[in-house]
Amino acid sequence: MGLSSYIEEIIKQNYAIINSDVPYKDILIDLRSAHILSDDEVEDLQQHRNDKSRGFEFIQILKSRNDNDFFKFCEILKDSQIANVQNLGLKLETEANENSQAHAYLEHLLRDLPLTPESDYVSRKEFNDIICDQLKQIDRSGGHILVHGMPGSGKTVAVSQAVRQLIVQENYFRPHGCYWIKIGDISEQQLLNILRSLATELGVENTEFIQSLVEVKSKIKQYFKRKRKEIDEQLLKRSIEWVTSSHINENLTDDEAIQVLQKRRDKDNNYKLTENILVKHVIHDCKGLPLAISIIGGLNLQSDEEWRDITKTITMKDMPSEVLTYDYDFNLFATFHLSVNQLDKREQKLFRLLGVFNAVQIPLQSIISLWQTQDINKIMATTLLKKLNQRSLLKFVDIHSPYCTLHDLIIDYLRKPMDQKQSTQHYSKMLNKYLVNAYSKRCQGEWFHHPYDQYYYQYLICHAIQAKDHKNIQKIMKDFNWMNNKLKLDNTIYNLCMDMEKAIDYLKIKKIENWQLYQQLVQLLQRYESNLPIKNIDLVQAFLTIDHSIGWIREHALKLAKTINKDNKYWKIELLYGRKADDVQIIEPLKSKRIGKTDKDGDIAVSNPDYGNLYVVGTEYQERTNCRIVIMEYETSKIVHDINPGDPYIHNVAISPNGQIIIFSSFRVWMEKKWKALNINSNEILHFFNCEFEKLQDPQFNQLKFCPSYQNKQIFLITLSENKEQIKQISTDYEIVSFEWIHNGSKILLWWRKYDRDYTGTVRNKDKWINECQIQIWDLQSWQCLKSLQVPAYIVEKGKQYLPTTDLDGSVTLTSNEIYVIKAVNGLLESYVKLKPSDLMRKSIFIPGNDRFLVYDYSNSLCEYFLQADSLQWNMLTDEDYQRRPSKDELILDSSYAFINNNPVGVQLINKRDIYTLKVRIYQKEFDHDLKQQYHKCYIYDDLQSAIVIGIYENSDYPYVIITQSTYTIMGYLYQFAIEWQVMNFLSESDEMKQLKILCQYTLPGNSIAFIEQSRYRKADDTLIILIKQEYHEMNSQRTYSFAVVKINFSSGNTIIYTYEDRCSLWYCIYMDEYFLITYSNDQDTIRTSTNTLIQCHRIGDSSSQTQIVLAQKYNQFKEGF
């Protein structure tokens, strides 16, 4: 909460008139009605003696509200009966509107750039000009600038002022602006480990005995002192080679230092600073260091004696030098100590508590939480922070969302225990424990109740780890609602997983039981990362929906759903097999991401998330005039680029690892492929060159793929072609089936056959062919074959083993909706896992650099699998159990499944050596029902307790369709307690009861064959509905289509058949339910041209009425698309 800086500036400029001209007493009720003020605030303001004091208090309240409240205040003023008040409201609103757009644009350009208001900081013109000149050069031609100097020398302020000047005033770095990034934010233990390793590599002795940051800093510092001259020469030489180096002069000039002192002291302090020898001595004694000068200015010294005392203090070397990163020639910490000692005891304690925070922006809400144990409210906290800001002990920004920052040296000072006998590690643990308990107290143990605060959600787990508070760590990692808030603030799942892994590592080291449970939670989050809608996420709902294998997560989510968020309606998947769940609904699992619009959109490629966001490139409306190439940001599913390729036939899309270049081909059967490369940021067409750097006018590649990583700052491509112009080549005598980059682009995997196939995929020369494929791994740099594996292309199952075979007809065929991922260990194929996507697979692809696997199917769904998940069961290649696999002479003709009374029931229509069987499976039981004749389709429905089988036959005259119904009921097997009795009852049924009852016989028109498209059972009137597609063979060898709707009422036995009389060259069903049917067809008047299409909506009607067309719409397919 809080006003934007530009609105605060408007209030500041108009403060006098806002405070004096507004009749606050008369508009208090209006302010309350607009929800700008609360009841208590209205009552408090009414107690003031006059409007001037009310105005002062109201303005302070208004600054804590949001921008919308300011505009409401303007509306109230405009509605006043007093002319000058109306004009004031209009003036304030106009100024705010004029500045809002410009302010928003500047905020966008100056992303997180530190504020350096002129009221607090001076501009060091000479040095700022040096930085500006270098930045202008970088804006024109690129490059780097390194600004270095000792801590407290004003590097941040100088760079911030220079960048702001160039972007805001001189319009450099437009339109992209700048990013202000703080790096190196790690825990003290992590820093200790890094520095200890560094000391070992440098050759520092006895590093194994180092136990604290103070020790390791001291040893490294001593090492660099001995090597300083040599290191400085090497550093200077290197910096000249790769970067523009600007060293900031730590010393402020006397004039600059006096300006800083004047800004920091109280306004009523009249002590003369200019041409004062005592002041100059102090400036020179502290080497003109900006941080020290600011602190001294905040002391508000008002006499010669005070200035002499400060000189004595800062020249004393009683502070251990090892606590400082730099060896200052004066006692810098003593200046901090003097300023802190001027605070009262309570203020000192509150200030020292701030040492627990990291060197980042600390929101006011976190500070209030820390100080609440000392009975500090928001107003009191704000007042103290402003006081500390005036003393330069911290920087407090009281605009929009208030926050403060602490200088690294101030943090070092605050983290030094006051008690010399107390270790730094113990004091740090105590501080962090204090903060975690304060957070817990404020949210009453329910972590997600804490006010939205970026720092709280980003660092809570880290503080709990440093506090060694394993109990609260475990509570946080079970608070799914807290995780919700963190995910929404971070807009990524990565940070949460990283924090949890740090906590898990801590619990493992401390040997806390059940740490594996939290590891399961992390793996579950990573597995479903791509499917979780971060912006609207509800982890409680997600875990109720997606988790089947990890019981504790599901049970805990259910507990939270019932006890915490009582206002929300949560769903969970009801357990199967008759187990009743209370107050739940059955819902589908979370859906995968989608890219593409039609069944022709079949090609995708991905960038490398190591180089930025993960992007997926694909097509929309392939083979249509409105064909597009789209680039989707994977984590958010947002389309970030929509490109017109200029051709409707697009194939082989590829994207560079950084997501900035795409390559694609356009192709028709009668034409050669044409390749295009495009820089998507600049829309610039790129060109291909051969190894002599000659432009290729018409490159001929069959396939092309980007290397997923940079090699020596270059992007490599691998192509499949007969072209000899490439830099490196791999040649084979047979067809290369597949090639992939592996090991993050350092190696190439090839798969090629030792036999030839024709265009249909059939093996040529079956009597002489060799059943052998070669898998090879090539190294990119050395261009040598590292490994070569021989595998069979066709296999046969014998027992529980797969063996090579030359019997093509008897071999095992892998369908495109079954994916086998094979794991190779030490060059040998060891195990595999089978993945089954929801639809037929078009393409599969690994996300570079990790174990996430994407499958793109014909429903335009992009499904993700995590191949390191504990739930995956890897099988040895020679030891898979095939109890459910049908034998070679058993063919499954059709299958159907339904949930009847929430129990799964499945039926299969099987042909075994021309004996037809209907196999029924109910709750781990199987029953076979032998059929006396041939059938082709079988159906069961959720609300019908009979199985329907359909046969399509051909006699000497016309083909016909027979629809039959099984007369035995399968309802008896739905309840677990009645299984045995119903099994016996079923087995004892008479032969007469086992016969199928013929429901309907429908004779097809001449010269036609039938296909069963869809069927429905309508419970309302006990009616079966079947949609039949009819294909006609015309005299001119053309094929045309029509359809029929058959309705059979089980109660009355009546049958109504509707036949669509018109024929068309193309027809299919778009949608069908129990009452309506929507079809797509060519307009019968334009069968030859196929330019017009017809969408028709049919009302199926009840059991006694005929099917009718209720709506028909023609349109041009190629112009309007569909």
Side-chain angles (χ1 to χ4, degrees):
M1 294 280 287
L3 297 176
S4 298
S5 57
Y6 76 97
I7 292 183
E8 286 212 342
E9 187 63 29
I10 292 172
I11 293 176
K12 182 178 178 180
Q13 293 172 1
N14 296 276
Y15 184 87
I17 189 172
I18 296 174
N19 193 29
S20 61
D21 286 13
V22 177
Y24 289 104
K25 187 176 181 180
D26 298 337
I27 65 172
L28 287 178
I29 303 302
D30 294 330
L31 294 170
R32 176 64 187 92
S33 300
H35 302 288
I36 300 174
L37 297 177
S38 66
D39 291 335
D40 291 339
E41 288 167 338
V42 169
E43 186 175 343
D44 290 341
L45 290 173
Q46 286 175 337
Q47 303 302 319
H48 286 259
R49 293 182 179 181
N50 52 56
D51 268 339
K52 192 168 185 180
S53 63
R54 284 192 195 95
F56 174 81
E57 188 64 30
F58 171 75
I59 291 172
Q60 303 309 310
I61 296 173
L62 183 61
K63 287 181 178 180
S64 67
R65 302 298 191 255
N66 58 38
D67 294 353
N68 191 40
D69 291 327
F70 173 80
F71 285 105
K72 289 180 183 178
F73 173 60
C74 295
E75 288 294 328
I76 291 172
L77 297 184
K78 290 194 306 180
D79 290 340
S80 173
Q81 301 299 315
I82 305 173
N84 63 332
V85 177
Q86 292 178 4
N87 295 335
L88 175 61
L90 182 61
K91 179 177 185 290
L92 294 175
E93 183 182 68
T94 302
E95 290 181 6
N97 287 329
E98 289 175 350
N99 285 277
S100 62
Q101 189 171 359
H103 172 77
Y105 181 58
L106 287 178
E107 287 292 315
H108 168 73
L109 294 177
L110 304 173
R111 301 173 186 88
D112 297 323
L113 187 73
L115 296 173
T116 54
E118 293 181 2
S119 59
D120 293 336
Y121 299 93
V122 299
S123 176
R124 304 169 71 179
K125 186 176 185 308
E126 181 181 352
F127 186 69
N128 283 4
D129 289 344
I130 295 174
I131 297 177
C132 286
D133 290 342
Q134 299 295 338
L135 290 175
K136 290 176 182 178
Q137 181 64 30
I138 291 172
D139 186 41
R140 286 190 293 265
S141 56
H144 305 79
I145 179 171
L146 172 65
V147 181
H148 55 101
M150 66 169 55
S153 58
K155 301 182 296 296
T156 299
V157 173
V159 173
S160 299
Q161 290 173 335
V163 171
R164 187 177 297 275
Q165 174 184 327
L166 287 182
I167 293 178
V168 176
Q169 300 175 16
E170 303 184 34
N171 294 328
Y172 282 87
F173 298 100
R174 301 287 183 103
H176 304 296
C178 72
Y179 289 88
W180 187 270
I181 301 171
K182 186 176 182 65
I183 60 175
D185 184 22
I186 59 176
S187 68
E188 289 191 2
Q189 185 60 45
Q190 290 173 306
L191 180 59
L192 175 60
N193 295 336
I194 292 171
L195 292 180
R196 188 189 288 144
S197 299
L198 173 62
T200 302
E201 293 181 18
L202 291 174
V204 177
E205 297 179 353
N206 301 323
T207 55
E208 64 272 16
F209 301 114
I210 294 176
Q211 297 297 323
S212 69
L213 279 174
V214 172
E215 293 178 70
V216 72
K217 282 182 183 179
S218 177
K219 288 185 176 293
I220 293 177
K221 182 179 175 183
Q222 292 171 11
Y223 171 85
F224 282 124
K225 274 186 176 181
R226 294 194 303 270
K227 302 277 188 177
R228 183 165 186 173
K229 183 176 180 181
E230 177 184 342
I231 291 173
D232 283 349
E233 290 175 354
Q234 293 179 1
L235 179 61
L236 181 60
K237 182 180 177 182
R238 275 191 165 182
S239 65
I240 291 173
E241 290 175 355
W242 72 277
V243 75
T244 300
S245 176
S246 294
H247 185 281
I248 186 167
N249 181 9
E250 287 88 353
N251 300 339
L252 291 172
T253 65
D254 290 352
D255 291 341
E256 290 171 343
I258 289 173
Q259 288 182 52
V260 173
L261 292 172
Q262 288 174 334
K263 289 179 180 293
R264 288 301 171 187
R265 69 178 182 172
D266 291 346
K267 294 181 179 179
D268 57 357
N269 187 340
N270 297 318
Y271 184 80
K272 185 178 179 181
L273 298 175
T274 57
E275 299 180 1
N276 187 320
I277 191 64
L278 292 176
V279 174
K280 286 187 177 182
H281 277 315
V282 171
I283 293 172
H284 295 161
D285 287 341
C286 63
K287 311 306 177 188
L289 190 73
L291 178 60
I293 298 296
S294 294
I295 295 289
I296 293 170
L299 294 175
N300 198 35
L301 306 177
Q302 301 187 45
S303 68
D304 291 348
E305 188 61 31
E306 289 177 331
W307 280 95
R308 290 191 187 96
D309 290 341
I310 196 70
T311 301
K312 295 176 184 177
T313 301
I314 63 178
T315 54
M316 290 189 304
K317 291 289 289 184
D318 58 349
M319 183 64 63
S321 60
E322 61 266 20
V323 302
L324 294 174
T325 308
Y326 271 72
D327 188 8
Y328 295 92
D329 294 330
F330 66 99
N331 196 331
L332 177 61
F333 271 24
T335 62
F336 302 163
H337 199 61
L338 280 173
S339 183
V340 173
N341 282 344
Q342 285 190 356
L343 304 171
D344 63 38
K345 296 298 182 184
R346 188 188 191 196
E347 290 173 339
Q348 289 183 35
K349 181 178 180 179
L350 294 173
F351 176 58
R352 289 192 176 278
L353 287 175
L354 297 178
V356 71
F357 292 113
N358 295 321
V360 296
Q361 292 182 2
I362 311 163
L364 180 60
Q365 291 294 349
S366 275
I367 297 173
I368 292 173
S369 296
L370 178 67
W371 287 350
Q372 65 179 330
T373 55
Q374 304 296 318
D375 297 325
I376 299 293
N377 59 28
K378 182 177 180 181
I379 295 177
M380 297 166 65
T382 302
T383 302
L384 177 55
L385 290 171
K386 288 180 178 179
K387 181 177 181 178
L388 296 172
N389 178 80
Q390 183 61 29
R391 290 179 167 272
S392 292
L393 291 172
L394 54 74
K395 178 180 171 183
F396 179 56
V397 181
D398 189 18
I399 57 174
H400 198 47
S401 298
Y403 66 88
C404 80
T405 57
L406 291 162
H407 196 283
D408 292 351
L409 291 174
I410 298 287
I411 292 177
D412 287 344
Y413 168 77
L414 294 177
R415 289 181 177 177
K416 185 179 184 299
M418 295 294 293
D419 185 355
Q420 298 296 327
K421 297 180 181 179
Q422 190 178 24
S423 68
T424 304
Q425 293 90 336
H426 183 268
Y427 184 64
S428 174
K429 175 185 173 182
M430 184 187 72
L431 277 178
N432 283 280
K433 183 73 173 176
Y434 189 95
L435 176 62
V436 172
N437 288 340
Y439 277 142
S440 179
K441 180 180 179 181
R442 187 172 186 191
C443 60
Q444 299 178 340
E446 302 293 348
W447 301 99
F448 70 96
H449 279 320
H450 193 277
Y452 266 35
D453 175 338
Q454 189 75 41
Y455 185 95
Y456 170 77
Y457 285 100
Q458 185 172 353
Y459 294 104
L460 176 61
I461 288 181
C462 292
H463 284 297
I465 293 172
Q466 293 177 57
K468 300 182 179 179
D469 188 352
H470 62 269
K471 291 184 179 179
N472 274 324
I473 290 174
Q474 294 180 84
K475 288 180 181 178
I476 295 168
M477 291 202 292
K478 285 186 177 180
D479 194 332
F480 300 155
N481 292 293
W482 176 86
M483 295 180 187
N484 276 342
N485 294 343
K486 178 174 174 62
L487 291 174
K488 290 175 183 177
L489 282 172
D490 292 345
N491 200 28
T492 176
I493 208 167
Y494 175 80
N495 294 341
L496 175 61
C497 291
M498 289 296 293
D499 284 351
M500 294 184 67
E501 287 175 355
K502 292 176 186 175
I504 291 167
D505 290 340
Y506 169 78
L507 296 176
K508 287 166 64 177
I509 293 172
K510 294 299 180 181
K511 299 181 179 179
I512 305 298
E513 294 183 2
N514 299 328
W515 62 265
Q516 296 92 340
L517 299 179
Y518 308 112
Q519 189 70 55
Q520 293 172 349
L521 179 57
V522 173
Q523 291 170 349
L524 187 68
L525 288 169
Q526 291 172 336
R527 175 183 177 186
Y528 287 97
E529 177 179 358
S530 62
N531 293 332
L532 294 174
I534 300 296
K535 290 184 178 179
N536 302 306
I537 193 167
D538 186 338
L539 279 181
V540 173
Q541 178 65 78
F543 291 149
L544 290 175
T545 306
I546 64 178
D547 176 42
H548 298 280
S549 58
I550 307 176
W552 81 268
I553 297 177
R554 184 181 178 83
E555 292 303 319
H556 189 63
L558 184 58
K559 178 182 176 182
L560 291 175
K562 290 180 177 179
T563 60
I564 297 178
N565 288 336
K566 296 180 180 179
D567 296 333
N568 290 352
K569 177 69 174 178
Y570 281 98
W571 299 346
K572 75 184 184 72
I573 298 179
E574 189 168 357
L575 298 177
L576 301 180
Y577 315 135
R579 193 180 297 179
K580 186 177 180 181
D582 52 340
D583 192 27
V584 295
Q585 301 177 22
I586 299 174
I587 64 172
E588 296 181 359
L590 293 177
K591 294 183 178 179
S592 58
K593 299 179 182 295
R594 299 182 69 85
I595 185 170
K597 297 294 186 181
T598 71
D599 58 352
K600 300 291 186 181
D601 299 317
D603 200 12
I604 62 166
V606 299
S607 66
N608 189 338
D610 290 342
Y611 299 99
N613 294 333
L614 175 59
Y615 295 105
V616 181
V617 60
T619 61
E620 290 184 352
Y621 302 111
Q622 172 72 275
E623 298 186 10
R624 297 186 181 179
T625 55
N626 57 340
C627 176
R628 315 290 293 176
I629 294 177
V630 295
I631 300 175
M632 178 180 75
E633 187 178 356
Y634 182 75
E635 303 300 341
T636 63
S637 299
K638 180 181 178 182
I639 300 298
V640 294
H641 292 284
D642 186 334
I643 301 166
N644 182 357
D647 192 297
Y649 295 89
I650 300 302
H651 302 274
N652 304 109
V653 292
I655 188 168
S656 63
N658 61 2
Q660 295 182 3
I661 299 173
I662 62 169
I663 298 179
F664 57 92
S665 68
S666 56
F667 171 71
R668 293 173 177 78
V669 175
W670 61 88
M671 296 173 55
E672 293 182 338
K673 286 186 178 180
K674 294 185 178 297
W675 291 88
K676 290 184 180 180
L678 178 68
N679 184 318
I680 58 178
N681 291 325
S682 64
N683 287 327
E684 179 185 1
I685 299 294
L686 307 178
H687 301 283
F688 296 91
F689 294 83
N690 62 15
C691 51
E692 275 82 33
F693 294 98
E694 299 170 342
K695 186 191 295 187
L696 297 178
Q697 297 298 332
D698 192 13
Q700 296 300 311
F701 311 133
N702 294 332
Q703 297 182 45
L704 177 149
K705 293 181 182 178
F706 277 101
C707 176
S709 65
Y710 294 112
Q711 305 290 335
N712 298 323
K713 298 184 180 180
Q714 294 179 314
I715 297 178
F716 282 85
L717 296 169
I718 185 172
T719 63
L720 185 61
S721 69
E722 298 178 358
N723 191 349
K724 305 299 183 182
E725 299 292 341
Q726 283 69 48
I727 297 175
K728 297 181 179 181
Q729 302 174 30
I730 299 174
S731 299
T732 65
D733 295 331
Y734 297 92
E735 175 189 3
I736 296 178
V737 180
S738 176
F739 62 90
E740 296 289 345
W741 293 96
I742 60 173
H743 288 202
N744 208 23
S746 63
K747 297 177 177 59
I748 299 171
L749 177 70
L750 292 180
W751 180 314
W752 49 279
R753 299 185 178 93
K754 290 189 176 179
Y755 58 88
D756 291 326
R757 302 184 308 169
D758 60 22
Y759 70 97
T760 65
T762 304
V763 174
R764 290 195 178 105
N765 302 322
K766 293 184 178 181
D767 54 337
K768 297 180 180 179
W769 77 291
I770 302 174
N771 182 17
E772 189 175 297
C773 291
Q774 200 77 18
I775 299 177
Q776 293 182 340
I777 297 177
W778 285 69
D779 182 77
L780 178 63
Q781 297 300 326
S782 64
W783 207 242
Q784 294 179 344
C785 181
L786 304 179
K787 291 182 181 178
S788 183
L789 306 173
Q790 288 186 356
V791 296
Y794 292 84
I795 56 177
V796 65
E797 178 194 2
K798 290 187 177 180
K800 292 185 177 181
Q801 293 186 347
Y802 285 131
L803 299 175
T805 179
T806 55
D807 180 10
L808 296 178
D809 296 328
S811 61
V812 176
T813 302
L814 304 182
T815 61
S816 59
N817 64 335
E818 291 182 349
I819 304 168
Y820 288 81
V821 182
I822 302 173
K823 185 186 295 183
V825 178
N826 296 326
L828 300 176
L829 304 183
E830 181 187 74
S831 57
Y832 73 94
V833 63
K834 183 170 71 172
L835 310 175
K836 190 175 180 65
S838 58
D839 203 340
L840 294 179
M841 180 189 72
R842 288 176 170 177
K843 188 170 184 178
S844 61
I845 190 169
F846 280 94
I847 297 177
N850 52 53
D851 296 308
R852 294 157 68 191
F853 182 66
L854 298 179
V855 175
Y856 189 44
D857 63 30
Y858 276 87
S859 64
N860 298 114
S861 294
L862 196 58
C863 308
E864 180 179 328
Y865 300 88
F866 180 53
L867 298 180
Q868 290 296 331
D870 291 340
S871 58
L872 291 181
Q873 299 296 322
W874 290 87
N875 302 293
M876 301 304 293
L877 280 174
T878 58
D879 191 27
E880 185 185 16
D881 185 0
Y882 270 91
Q883 293 180 357
R884 292 282 185 180
R885 183 179 177 84
S887 60
K888 289 182 186 179
D889 55 357
E890 182 176 288
L891 179 64
I892 299 177
L893 301 176
D894 194 21
S895 61
S896 182
Y897 63 90
F899 279 85
I900 304 178
N901 290 354
N902 293 326
N903 289 273
V905 180
V907 295
Q908 287 181 329
L909 184 61
I910 296 173
N911 176 11
K912 187 174 183 179
R913 298 176 182 175
D914 293 331
I915 297 176
Y916 293 85
T917 304
L918 185 68
K919 184 185 290 290
V920 182
R921 291 177 176 164
I922 310 170
Y923 186 54
Q924 302 178 351
K925 299 292 182 182
E926 294 186 6
F927 307 98
D928 293 347
H929 182 71
D930 291 334
L931 306 174
K932 300 302 182 182
Q933 63 191 70
Q934 179 182 3
Y935 291 93
H936 301 89
K937 304 285 287 185
C938 64
Y939 296 99
I940 56 173
Y941 309 92
D942 288 351
D943 298 312
L944 182 64
Q945 297 160 12
S946 298
I948 305 296
V949 291
I950 301 177
I952 303 174
Y953 310 98
E954 185 175 1
N955 61 14
S956 55
D957 298 321
Y958 299 104
Y960 60 94
V961 177
I962 292 182
I963 305 171
T964 60
Q965 177 187 14
S966 60
T967 56
Y968 63 87
T969 177
I970 59 178
M971 186 178 111
Y973 305 110
L974 301 183
Y975 299 97
Q976 189 171 352
F977 63 83
I979 285 178
E980 295 299 327
W981 180 85
Q982 293 294 346
V983 169
M984 293 179 62
N985 188 12
F986 171 74
L987 294 176
S988 64
E989 287 180 344
S990 64
D991 292 338
E992 182 179 353
M993 292 295 293
K994 290 183 180 180
Q995 298 300 318
L996 295 179
K997 174 185 176 183
I998 297 179
L999 299 176
C1000 171
Q1001 181 169 319
Y1002 167 58
T1003 302
L1004 298 173
N1007 300 321
S1008 68
I1009 56 177
F1011 303 92
I1012 307 301
E1013 285 288 296
Q1014 295 193 42
S1015 69
R1016 295 286 188 275
Y1017 171 69
R1018 190 165 61 200
K1019 185 179 180 181
D1021 57 357
D1022 198 23
T1023 298
L1024 176 67
I1025 306 166
I1026 298 175
L1027 176 63
I1028 300 175
K1029 180 179 181 179
Q1030 298 168 172
E1031 179 181 306
Y1032 299 87
H1033 293 261
E1034 306 291 350
M1035 297 297 293
N1036 57 2
S1037 299
Q1038 293 279 339
R1039 295 183 181 183
T1040 58
Y1041 301 90
S1042 184
F1043 69 94
V1045 178
V1046 180
K1047 293 186 293 184
I1048 305 166
N1049 185 269
F1050 290 128
S1051 301
S1052 64
N1054 292 337
T1055 299
I1056 298 177
I1057 301 176
Y1058 166 77
T1059 302
Y1060 187 69
E1061 299 295 339
D1062 299 321
R1063 299 183 188 180
C1064 47
S1065 61
L1066 180 64
W1067 178 94
Y1068 60 83
C1069 172
I1070 296 176
Y1071 172 80
M1072 178 181 178
D1073 60 20
E1074 290 86 352
Y1075 297 96
F1076 289 95
L1077 167 68
I1078 301 176
T1079 62
Y1080 167 102
S1081 62
N1082 290 119
D1083 187 348
Q1084 69 236 15
D1085 297 329
T1086 57
I1087 288 179
R1088 302 297 180 194
T1089 62
S1090 297
T1091 55
N1092 286 337
T1093 52
L1094 184 65
I1095 302 295
Q1096 291 180 313
C1097 178
H1098 310 259
R1099 180 183 287 114
I1100 294 175
D1102 58 27
S1103 58
S1104 59
S1105 61
Q1106 188 57 276
T1107 300
Q1108 297 178 344
I1109 298 175
V1110 294
L1111 183 65
Q1113 178 68 48
K1114 294 182 181 180
Y1115 72 98
N1116 188 301
Q1117 176 182 0
F1118 294 102
K1119 289 184 179 180
E1120 301 180 54
F1122 184 68

